[in-house]
Amino acid sequence: MAQWTSAVGAAQLARLLGSQQDRPAGPGTRRPPAYRALADGVRLLVLEGRVPVAARLPAERELALALSVSRTTVAAAYEALRGEGFLESRRGAGSWTAVPAGNPVPARGLEPLPPEALGSMIDLGCAALPAPEPWLTRAVQGALEELPPYAHTHGDYPAGLPALRAMIADRYTQRGIATMPEQIMVTTGAMGAIDAICHLFGGRGERIAVESPSYANILQLMREAGARLVPVAMAEGLTGWDLDRWRQVLREAAPRIAYVVADFHNPTGALADDDQRRRLVDAARSAGTVLVADETMSELWLDEDVEMPRPVCAFDPAGSTVITVGSASKAFWAGMRIGWVRAAPDVIRSLVAARAYADLGTPVLEQLAVNWLFGTGGWEEAVELRRAQARQNRDELVGAVRRELPGWEFEVPRGGLTLWVRTGGLSGSRLAEAGERVGVRVPSGPRFGVDGAFEGYVRLPFTVGGAVAEEAAVRLAATARIVETGGTSGGEAPRTFVA
């Protein structure tokens, strides 16, 4: 029986390999043989999870034609990968990707490091901050006081606790968008919300338009749901969306769903203005596309003079075109897995009905904690602490990267949690791999794109500051030197670093 569980076509693998552009070799630098470069490229794709483990690779002849190289080159590359444990083969079944014994199976998202690894590794993979105490403790204590009446019930609330649904609806109304509790469903984080929306509207094989770049974990969620992703390039710099491109894609591709992050976009930090929001909603309505607006970063403006635009749903108050997703995870704490959906009542009813076959409902105690925060003013004070922490981290990380890596380019966003960095011609995938050896974990740009785009980028979150930010920049500079020279870290293990 075959050992592979998926397949990668020759054209697809050629596109992925073609995205791995290194800067030209300098004087005295030896280029590796063609077979070695091909083997290294496939290995990097497997290590990053961009080609799954147990994926069948194309036959040697097919890949040779797609890459315009000799079959001998492909055969030698496959043999090298087999010798290193990254490929397994059997006559009649083909060849499929693997990982050597003792290596962790690569993750396909940006999951946080386990706590035991944090002593020696600086984690720039997860854009999440510690809880803003004392507000987490106070919220949980407040929730415990409110829990007894709910403990006498079955505890299953597929649409969410009525009190929290009403509170979230009131908060939208206070922002100028009249909202009823019947337009709200509480979910298990924003990921749970978008997963439910994709399953209701997307369906396997449906097109979903996404910003390019976009949030890596959402892109992977959509891929695994069987969606066909249609990327739409962002406008230059931090200016939001390119509406001409959006209108063209919505008109020509007719995607069932479009997913956007208008408020301090992840990963670029861009903030779409009122006019862009209005025009995108109009374009989606004309195309019959459901526009999913992710608001998880909307309260994380970091500069005092930022004027926040109106919410995307303000341009579709009835919710017939726009479905809004919000969350406590970014603005408050990632461990608080509470999200919500705002949509038309009939959409909410459909989402709730479908939920019976998924997770049934969201934990009651966490819902009560968020409701306590909303009702007491604790939310506003906690989010202000979060803004202050992220602002300080941003400024310290920006200063450290500019000192240690002056050739790297970026614009400083005025909100959000991430810095989108052009790496001076270095491969983001190779930086990610070398960083693991140096002691800094950084996600490469292609994780945020479709079909290998953004190889020359990395994302840096505002999760570290002070001495840790300085050390992170030093390790990134060491990583860049390794990639630039094609060398190694010299065998020196990363030193333990305690914040």
Side-chain angles (χ1 to χ4, degrees):
M1 189 173 83
Q3 301 297 307
W4 49 273
T5 56
S6 62
V8 180
Q12 180 187 7
L13 186 56
R15 285 196 304 272
L16 291 170
L17 289 165
S19 72
Q20 297 176 336
Q21 300 297 322
D22 290 321
R23 66 170 49 182
T29 302
R30 297 180 60 187
R31 288 188 177 277
Y35 85 89
R36 184 68 261 173
L38 175 55
D40 287 347
V42 173
R43 178 174 54 83
L44 278 172
L45 293 173
V46 172
L47 287 172
E48 280 223 311
R50 291 162 60 202
V51 168
V53 175
R56 188 185 187 208
L57 296 187
E60 294 171 1
R61 188 184 302 277
E62 293 174 0
L63 186 56
L65 286 171
L67 294 174
S68 298
V69 299
S70 71
R71 183 176 177 182
T72 302
T73 297
V74 177
Y78 278 15
E79 184 59 34
L81 288 167
R82 276 190 287 269
E84 295 162 4
F86 285 95
L87 197 68
E88 295 182 9
S89 304
R90 194 171 68 239
R91 186 178 298 276
S95 299
W96 56 92
T97 56
V99 292
N103 279 39
V105 175
R108 307 210 62 188
L110 299 177
E111 82 296 342
L113 281 175
E116 61 269 18
L118 294 176
S120 60
M121 183 74 70
I122 297 177
D123 185 8
L124 298 180
C126 185
L129 290 161
E133 288 286 32
W135 294 106
L136 174 62
T137 298
R138 292 180 183 177
V140 173
Q141 291 171 340
L144 287 171
E145 293 176 1
E146 299 293 331
L147 182 62
Y150 295 94
H152 293 293
T153 73
H154 49 66
D156 287 336
Y157 297 88
L161 293 183
L164 182 55
R165 296 176 72 196
M167 185 70 74
I168 294 171
D170 286 345
R171 289 174 67 84
Y172 277 107
T173 300
Q174 291 166 15
R175 295 168 68 188
I177 307 103
T179 303
M180 304 177 294
E182 291 79 9
Q183 290 177 264
I184 302 295
M185 180 177 83
V186 180
T187 62
T188 307
M191 292 287 287
I194 294 169
D195 182 56
I197 294 166
C198 287
H199 280 89
L200 180 62
F201 289 99
R204 187 163 293 276
E206 290 280 3
R207 294 185 180 93
I208 300 181
V210 294
E211 296 147 328
S212 182
S214 187
Y215 179 33
N217 287 341
I218 293 296
L219 294 181
Q220 191 57 38
L221 181 155
M222 292 173 175
R223 290 186 189 103
E224 294 185 358
R228 297 163 61 190
L229 300 184
V230 182
V232 186
M234 297 287 289
E236 289 297 319
L238 300 179
T239 55
W241 301 320
D242 184 327
L243 265 298
D244 290 337
R245 288 173 176 166
W246 271 104
R247 277 196 299 270
Q248 180 182 4
V249 167
L250 294 178
R251 182 177 62 251
E252 295 178 359
R256 186 71 182 93
I257 301 173
Y259 169 75
V260 297
V261 184
D263 303 291
F264 308 118
H265 172 258
N266 186 351
T268 69
L271 179 64
D273 61 29
D274 274 335
D275 184 58
Q276 290 173 322
R277 295 166 192 240
R278 179 185 296 105
R279 291 164 61 196
L280 183 58
V281 171
D282 289 345
R285 184 182 294 114
S286 297
T289 297
V290 175
L291 184 61
V292 180
D294 186 334
E295 283 191 338
T296 54
M297 297 282 190
S298 64
E299 296 191 62
L300 291 177
W301 64 85
L302 304 184
D303 296 332
E304 295 298 335
D305 59 344
V306 173
E307 293 187 14
M308 290 299 296
R310 299 173 67 193
V312 176
C313 62
F315 304 100
D316 178 51
S320 59
T321 297
V322 177
I323 298 179
T324 302
V325 172
S327 171
S329 297
K330 295 296 185 184
F332 186 75
W333 183 48
M336 188 69 76
R337 304 305 305 159
I338 298 294
W340 53 86
V341 177
R342 181 198 180 276
D346 62 317
V347 173
I348 294 297
R349 286 193 294 271
S350 296
L351 288 170
V352 171
R355 194 174 194 180
Y357 307 100
D359 64 355
L360 295 178
T362 302
V364 170
L365 188 63
E366 292 184 29
Q367 292 187 70
L368 289 172
V370 172
N371 194 58
W372 183 92
L373 287 166
F374 285 157
T376 61
W379 177 266
E380 285 70 24
E381 295 197 39
V383 171
E384 184 54 45
L385 287 176
R386 170 66 75 243
R387 290 193 198 107
Q389 185 179 15
R391 183 186 307 117
Q392 180 175 342
N393 285 356
R394 177 196 65 181
D395 295 345
E396 291 171 347
L397 182 65
V398 163
V401 172
R402 281 178 171 163
R403 282 191 298 274
E404 298 292 334
L405 292 149
W408 287 18
E409 301 172 9
F410 52 84
E411 291 188 53
V412 181
R414 308 191 68 193
L417 289 172
T418 57
L419 197 66
W420 186 236
V421 181
R422 191 191 300 269
T423 57
L426 298 179
S427 161
S429 297
R430 297 180 191 278
L431 287 166
E433 183 199 23
E436 295 277 350
R437 291 183 269 141
V438 174
V440 60
R441 182 173 181 259
V442 57
S444 68
R447 292 205 172 209
F448 303 88
V450 177
D451 283 339
F454 308 109
E455 185 62 58
Y457 289 81
V458 294
R459 189 194 73 172
L460 305 180
F462 312 145
T463 52
V464 297
V468 185
E470 295 285 346
E471 177 67 13
V474 168
R475 295 186 186 187
L476 285 172
T479 300
R481 288 192 294 272
I482 292 172
V483 173
E484 200 165 19
T485 62
T488 67
S489 61
E492 180 183 351
R495 62 183 180 273
T496 299
F497 192 87
V498 180

